[in-house]
Amino acid sequence: MQLQFSPAGGCGPRPAQSPELNRVRVAALVRQMPLLALVIAGNTLALAAMALHSAPLPLTLSAPVALLAICGLMAFDWLRIAGRVIGEEEAGRILRRVNTASTALSMVYIVWVTALYVHADAAQRNALIHAVALTGMFAIFALAQLPKTALLIGGMSLPGFAWLLMTAGDSTSILAGVNIFIVLLSLFMSVSGSSRDFDDMVAARAQASQLAKDKSQLAKDKSQLADEKSQLAEDMSRLADEKSRLAEDNERLANTDSLTRLANRRAFFADISREIDTGDPVLMGIVDLDGFKPVNDLYGHALGDKVLCECAERLRLFGQEGATIARLGGDEFGVFLSGRMTDSDILAFGARICAALKAPVRIGDAHATISSSIGFARFPEDARDAQHLYERADFALYYAKQNRRGEAVLFTADHETNMRMNARIEQCLRRANLEEEIQLEFQPLFDVADQSIVSFEALARWKSPELGAVSPTQFVPVAERSEIIHALTRTVLRKALKAAKAWPESLGVSVNLSVRDLLSPRALTQIVAIIEASEIDTARIDIEVTETSLLTDFEKAEAALTMLKRLGVKISLDDFGTGYSSLSYVHRLPVDKIKIDRSFIQEIHGSGVARDIVKSMIGLIGNLNLHCVTEGVETSEQFDLLRKFGCNVVQGFLFSRPIPQDDVARFIAEAKTKPRLLSRAG
């Protein structure tokens, strides 16, 4: 804080000078300083002329030369500054120069005038007193914007000169000195008050200017804020639109199959559940493509995807009949219709779907032929919710694939009975002590040339404490649909190898493996361990796999069979001709034998087409240097034809039904003493 005189003549705190105040002071001094220089220069020349004959010549001329030089420089400097924009830093430097120049000028002037006063006469002294007083007062007023400088000049010059007058001894000089003191004090008070008012005015103007700037800036900020608010509103609106669009896209993606663009499983069940909630009748169908896996493996996944898309487009046409179509996964599609339909209408609808999908699919140079099986179930007749409706439709589909492949099957009361029975069988299997409850029977296989036994096929028989004797056609499919099959396979394999160990080393034993066994690394490892622990020659072991089991995952199945083949076991492909494989696949597998399914043998005698098919298959198998085994040989006529076609091994009721394990040794002994063949052929 600085102490300055208050308007009342006292002292009070004043804020520090601001750079803006310095600029205003410089602007005011631009007009005053040249006049001050002119006044001092003129006063100096007049006093020098007056004292030319009374004071020494050097004193009279030396000081005026210095004073005139300082005044000239001051005037030139201020004329140069006039009209130019002064920065804050430059304003500070200019004011410091003013302080220095004014102090030097006043000191030179008052010393010179005092020296002249000593040599002057009474008239000259009066003139000097008036000149000094007027010049000092003008200098104080001229420098009023710089109160410190003005008071410094007045305090340095006039008090000393006044004191000189008051000590002169004459009353006139004393009165003049006292008068100068009084005037000087009044000037100090006036300049202090004027300076304070000037500072306040400048501060107020600066404050007003700053306020105006702040107001203008506030208006700009307010306008900018309004613009930003408007922009924010637009951005929020755009984001809301984008969010809505993304939500729609996500909803569409969540309910759409990415490959076929049909509804997916999630959307399918949601639509059916909503329809069921209305209480209206609903028909659900599960469509499975028969033969798609070989197409996918033969031509690659890219073409397989195109086949799926083509099938989807064919199914999409049924949407014109009010059907909702969805892809449930893999080569499985879903369809549902609202409204009540008769059984015949349902089967006719399914037949049209089967016909549409059976038409050849041509994509580029590739030509794929597939078919489809369909299982239907109805609400509310067959189920009360979407999940149970799907389970019944899926059971009808399973029945179609097992018994009426390529057709539509409607879920019936018999299927419901079978489902319940299968559920009960599964529960009993899970609780069963398989080592005690599973017994084996063995059906022999005979060499066509000499009708000698070459091996026995192990067949599982289950006698449940709760269910009694259960047919393999019932419990094996149930086991294969869950992990129970692994325990069943291990049990059958251990028992079969243990039994074969007591047979002649020339006889082999064959055991069936399921697709689950082939595709499970853990199950396969356990099977290998059982074979290695059996201490039986692996060349006597024949592992049978069905043709259809290979279609689930051909690559994994091939790797599993290759690993088993390294042990030295033989590999047989069972039920050949019933699936959708081909000899182009067979040559990629480590297969030793191919078993032609019994369904072909049953018609071989009465159907020329069936006879030609069997003959062609036997010929193709022979060309691949594989052994041919035919199942289901029941008549001597069938045997005669098979022997004529070049079949190697036969199996069937003509020679023997399955034999209990305890009777195998006796059967082997009897086979050495009497022929098994009942044929008329020689």
Side-chain angles (χ1 to χ4, degrees), residues 157-390:
S157 58
L158 293 180
F161 189 72
W163 180 256
L164 178 64
L165 293 177
M166 287 188 293
T167 58
D170 60 285
S171 59
T172 302
S173 298
I174 292 172
L175 291 174
V178 172
N179 189 44
I180 289 175
F181 267 117
I182 294 172
V183 172
L184 181 61
L185 181 60
S186 299
L187 285 175
F188 283 174
M189 294 176 64
S190 176
V191 168
S192 178
S194 298
S195 175
R196 192 178 194 87
D197 293 341
F198 179 79
D199 291 352
D200 291 342
M201 180 189 67
V202 172
R205 190 176 70 174
Q207 186 177 8
S209 176
Q210 185 63 40
L211 185 61
K213 291 181 180 178
D214 292 344
K215 187 175 181 180
S216 175
Q217 185 63 40
L218 182 61
K220 291 181 180 179
D221 292 344
K222 188 175 181 180
S223 175
Q224 183 178 0
L225 183 61
D227 293 341
E228 291 177 354
K229 185 177 180 180
S230 176
Q231 183 63 41
L232 181 60
E234 292 179 4
D235 292 343
M236 290 181 66
S237 177
R238 185 169 61 254
L239 287 175
D241 293 341
E242 184 69 13
K243 183 178 180 181
S244 177
R245 186 185 65 79
L246 289 176
E248 292 177 359
D249 290 345
N250 289 337
E251 182 68 17
R252 184 174 62 256
L253 291 174
N255 292 284
T256 303
D257 177 60
S258 59
L259 176 63
T260 63
R261 314 312 299 172
L262 292 173
N264 61 13
R265 189 185 193 91
R266 175 176 179 268
F268 182 73
F269 279 96
D271 290 343
I272 289 182
S273 296
R274 282 193 296 268
E275 198 68 27
I276 288 176
D277 289 340
T278 66
D280 294 335
V282 175
L283 173 70
M284 177 193 286
I286 308 299
V287 182
D288 186 80
L289 301 182
D290 300 323
F292 171 73
K293 189 64 170 64
V295 172
N296 206 36
D297 291 338
L298 181 62
Y299 296 107
H301 291 285
L303 189 138
D305 288 346
K306 293 181 179 179
V307 171
L308 288 175
C309 290
E310 172 62 24
C311 292
E313 290 304 313
R314 295 181 183 183
L315 288 172
R316 201 189 301 272
L317 296 177
F318 290 91
Q320 299 174 2
E321 301 182 29
T324 297
I325 310 298
R327 184 188 179 206
L328 304 183
D331 60 348
E332 186 176 83
F333 295 86
V335 55
F336 82 85
L337 283 167
S338 299
R340 194 170 300 278
M341 298 174 64
T342 64
D343 293 357
S344 58
D345 290 339
I346 294 173
L347 295 177
F349 177 69
R352 292 200 304 274
I353 292 179
C354 291
L357 295 177
K358 195 173 183 179
V361 178
R362 292 182 177 83
I363 299 176
D365 296 332
H367 180 186
T369 300
I370 59 177
S371 63
S372 64
S373 300
I374 309 174
F376 285 112
R378 299 160 296 184
F379 169 83
E381 292 90 338
D382 303 323
R384 294 297 178 181
D385 57 50
Q387 185 59 40
H388 288 88
L389 191 64
Y390 173 80

Side-chain angles (χ1 to χ4, degrees), residues 621-680:
I621 293 170
N623 291 335
L624 291 173
N625 295 321
L626 301 176
H627 279 74
C628 176
V629 180
T630 53
E631 300 177 308
V633 181
E634 298 180 356
T635 68
S636 58
E637 290 80 8
Q638 293 171 347
F639 176 75
D640 290 340
L641 287 174
L642 293 173
R643 182 171 58 178
K644 179 179 179 181
F645 295 157
C647 181
N648 305 112
V649 179
V650 292
Q651 178 183 9
F653 290 171
L654 175 62
F655 299 93
S656 175
R657 290 178 177 273
I659 306 167
Q661 179 177 337
D662 295 339
D663 296 338
V664 172
R666 179 176 55 80
F667 183 85
I668 294 173
E670 291 179 354
K672 294 179 180 180
T673 61
K674 58 181 179 180
R676 309 302 305 173
L677 185 58
L678 304 178
S679 172
R680 296 186 301 270

Side-chain angles (χ1 to χ4, degrees), residues 472-485:
T473 58
Q474 287 183 296
F475 74 82
V476 172
V478 171
E480 285 183 331
R481 300 184 75 172
S482 67
E483 74 282 356
I484 301 174
I485 190 63

